Amino acid sequence: MAKDGEKGEWKEFIWNPRTREFLGRTASSWGLIILFYIVFYIFLAGLFALTMYVMLQTLDDHKPTWQDRLSTPGMVIRPKADETFEIVYNIHDTESWDMYAQALDKFLGPYNNSAQAQKNDECVPDKHFLQEDSGDVKNNPKRSCQFNRTFLEECSGINDRYYGYHEGKPCIIIKLNRVIGMLPGKDGQAPFVTCGAKREDSEKIGELMYFPPNGTFNLMYYPYYGKKAQVNYSQPLVAVKFLNVTTNQDVNIECKINANNIPLGNERDKFAGRVSFKLRINTNTN
């Protein structure tokens, strides 16, 4: 009997025919609750949409509204075989260095003179190429200056498709990371790259050649206005050719940017503005 009573109570709780209540509430009570939550969630959705709308009005499609201005841009090298920044090969083993030559060929493809002539301008060198907006009128898309592959001369891969790797005189390519609005160099002094061996390898690095001359990043390639505003921008490059590096030994090398308004390193990244890598050229035939 007790079980029958409990069963009856549960049935009455779910649906009470006397009071016409479902789960303890009348139809009007359920209607008011549903109406409240509908209004409440519509309000929340509207508030979220309004917040997003107001925030989006502060954004510029072509330039970040807020930007963590790096005082020192990062540097990268090519070819880059892996994350260890090591260039190791044997002169007599074509497969060991051909991948480096192919990587440089692929990387320099967009810098072919014909490709640059089609999409970029010949600019006045040795001064910043400023393209400011006129108030609310955006000067977009912005033009970009040509950086022709031939500027890299002996490291262009045009006259020597192996980039010197086959004869133990390899080339590496260096570029600065893009920073919107950065104006490296002041008073007409262009930033330039220098490379040297770490202290323990100072006698092993030998003679270096830089292309363009003196390893400079010409001022005409700055400032950079962003990927959307400057769609055809070609980053300037510096090539370094190692003429007589000591063979069959590890040579630890560091390249850095030099400019009168770019400090080397900072509190957050002591390697900012420089890149380190290991170069080893083997000559053994077995």
Side-chain angles (χ1 to χ4, degrees), residues 14-270:
I14 295 173
W15 171 248
N16 190 328
R18 292 181 291 101
T19 59
R20 304 188 67 80
E21 292 179 349
F22 177 70
L23 296 178
R25 292 185 178 276
T26 62
S28 59
S29 177
W30 277 114
L32 290 173
I33 288 177
I34 292 172
L35 178 63
F36 168 80
Y37 280 107
I38 290 175
V39 173
F40 177 68
Y41 284 114
I42 289 176
F43 171 77
L44 289 182
L47 183 63
F48 175 76
L50 178 62
T51 302
M52 292 296 295
Y53 174 79
V54 172
M55 184 187 71
L56 290 174
Q57 298 311 300
T58 67
L59 302 181
D60 189 317
D61 288 340
H62 299 91
K63 181 180 179 181
T65 303
W66 304 104
Q67 185 176 351
D68 182 11
R69 291 302 302 272
L70 299 174
S71 57
T72 307
M75 294 179 67
V76 294
I77 65 167
R78 294 291 185 272
K80 178 184 174 186
D82 51 38
E83 297 299 325
T84 60
F85 287 93
E86 295 183 355
I87 298 176
V88 180
Y89 71 95
N90 190 308
I91 292 177
H92 304 290
D93 181 3
T94 303
E95 291 185 359
S96 70
W97 52 259
D98 187 56
M99 62 179 180
Y100 297 126
Q102 290 187 29
L104 288 176
D105 261 340
K106 182 178 180 180
F107 175 71
L108 292 175
Y111 290 93
N112 287 335
N113 290 24
S114 57
Q116 289 290 311
Q118 288 179 358
K119 64 182 183 179
N120 290 336
D121 298 343
E122 291 187 20
C123 300
V124 178
D126 303 325
K127 68 176 184 178
H128 293 127
F129 187 31
L130 300 175
Q131 304 174 75
E132 301 297 337
D133 298 328
S134 300
D136 293 333
V137 179
K138 302 297 182 181
N139 181 23
N140 294 326
K142 300 184 187 299
R143 293 176 295 155
S144 301
C145 299
Q146 292 182 18
F147 188 95
N148 294 322
R149 187 170 180 170
T150 49
F151 294 169
L152 301 180
E153 301 182 38
E154 293 183 28
C155 289
S156 66
I158 296 175
N159 297 322
D160 175 11
R161 64 191 183 98
Y162 301 128
Y163 300 89
Y165 282 82
H166 64 301
E167 57 182 2
K169 298 179 180 180
C171 293
I172 66 160
I173 309 294
I174 297 174
K175 65 175 182 175
L176 284 178
N177 289 341
R178 303 181 185 190
V179 179
I180 294 177
M182 184 181 72
L183 293 170
K186 64 178 181 180
D187 301 325
Q189 298 182 31
F192 61 96
V193 170
T194 54
C195 296
K198 298 292 183 69
R199 183 177 304 174
E200 64 274 15
D201 297 328
S202 58
E203 302 298 322
K204 303 177 185 177
I205 191 169
E207 186 181 357
L208 308 179
M209 289 183 68
Y210 297 91
F211 309 100
N214 303 315
T216 57
F217 292 109
N218 200 287
L219 298 178
M220 66 181 174
Y221 299 106
Y222 303 98
Y224 170 58
Y225 288 98
K227 189 174 182 179
K228 282 192 173 182
Q230 207 170 5
V231 293
N232 292 325
Y233 181 74
S234 296
Q235 290 173 263
L237 308 173
V238 166
V240 184
K241 188 176 183 67
F242 297 87
L243 299 179
N244 51 355
V245 66
T246 300
T247 58
N248 301 310
Q249 295 187 44
D250 292 347
V251 183
N252 294 292
I253 300 167
E254 180 179 87
C255 298
K256 61 183 180 179
I257 185 67
N258 302 272
N260 53 14
N261 64 346
I262 298 180
L264 273 181
N266 56 53
E267 294 180 357
R268 291 181 295 176
D269 186 0
K270 64 180 180 179

